[in-house]
Amino acid sequence: MRIAIFGGSFNPPHLGHLHSARAAAEQLRPDRFLVIPDHEPPHKLLAEGSPSPQQRLEMCRLGFSDIPNAEVSGIELARGGRSYTADTLREISAEAPDAELVLLVGTDMFLSIDRWYDAAYILQRAVIAPFQRSPEELSAIERKAEELKTNYGARVEIIASEPFVASSTSI
């Protein structure tokens, strides 16, 4: 079984997220496609007046409903506190120990993934599937993929799609 995992603040979920999710679903053809809004992002503070975690979960349910095999999961909301990807991968692995996990990430997150909490575990346990948000990003993604393969034995599958420029911050 192949499980794609698309996590993030989704503050709010937008057309760029949906475009990326459709491209990943088409290219990866996962058996399950988990969309996981975080409870509290470890890398940034949510702006004052942001929707609650439960509201972001509901917006994801509405927004991602047409993605093949998509399920919106409250796994990180139930855990509470800071949402660390390594902890989420451990929970999913316990539920589906033989599954191939594919972690979907934007370019910005991909380029810093080796500095995440328990990065070695993440890079060993999951295939990392970065999206590019602009044509200029592809060479940086390819360089980082080679670095991660060399240093961690990471498996990387770049999601090939036309970039769709959008930002939750600007929305």
Side-chain angles (χ1 to χ4, degrees), residues 42-60:
H43 60 284
K44 63 182 175 183
L45 293 174
L46 296 177
E48 190 172 325
S50 290
S52 70
Q54 195 60 43
Q55 289 169 323
R56 290 185 287 112
L57 179 77
E58 190 57 34
M59 285 190 285
C60 286

Side-chain angles (χ1 to χ4, degrees), residues 6-14 17-18 35-38 53-67 70-73:
F6 190 19
S9 301
F10 300 114
N11 186 34
H14 55 67
H17 292 129
L18 297 176
V35 177
I36 305 176
D38 55 24
Q54 195 60 43
Q55 289 169 323
R56 290 185 287 112
L57 179 77
E58 190 57 34
M59 285 190 285
C60 286
R61 283 193 177 117
L62 295 169
F64 289 93
S65 61
D66 70 338
I67 304 299
E71 307 166 35
V72 177
S73 170

Side-chain angles (χ1 to χ4, degrees), residues 15-130:
L15 294 176
H17 292 129
L18 297 176
H19 175 79
S20 296
R22 282 188 194 98
E26 185 177 303
Q27 182 174 324
L28 300 172
R29 303 215 181 273
D31 300 294
R32 293 177 69 194
F33 192 111
L34 297 178
V35 177
I36 305 176
D38 55 24
H39 180 266
E40 183 181 328
H43 60 284
K44 63 182 175 183
L45 293 174
L46 296 177
E48 190 172 325
S50 290
S52 70
Q54 195 60 43
Q55 289 169 323
R56 290 185 287 112
L57 179 77
E58 190 57 34
M59 285 190 285
C60 286
R61 283 193 177 117
L62 295 169
F64 289 93
S65 61
D66 70 338
I67 304 299
N69 300 319
E71 307 166 35
V72 177
S73 170
I75 187 172
E76 292 186 358
L77 276 63
R79 193 168 57 239
R82 291 209 181 265
S83 298
Y84 291 106
T85 300
D87 295 338
T88 302
L89 293 179
R90 283 186 180 90
E91 280 191 58
I92 295 168
S93 291
E95 179 184 304
D98 296 328
E100 178 184 43
L101 305 183
V102 182
L103 181 64
L104 308 173
V105 294
T107 302
D108 55 342
M109 293 290 102
F110 179 67
L111 295 177
S112 67
I113 197 167
D114 51 339
R115 295 187 304 268
W116 289 13
Y117 169 77
D118 209 355
Y121 174 77
I122 294 168
L123 294 165
Q124 290 297 310
R125 181 58 184 99
V127 174
I128 311 301

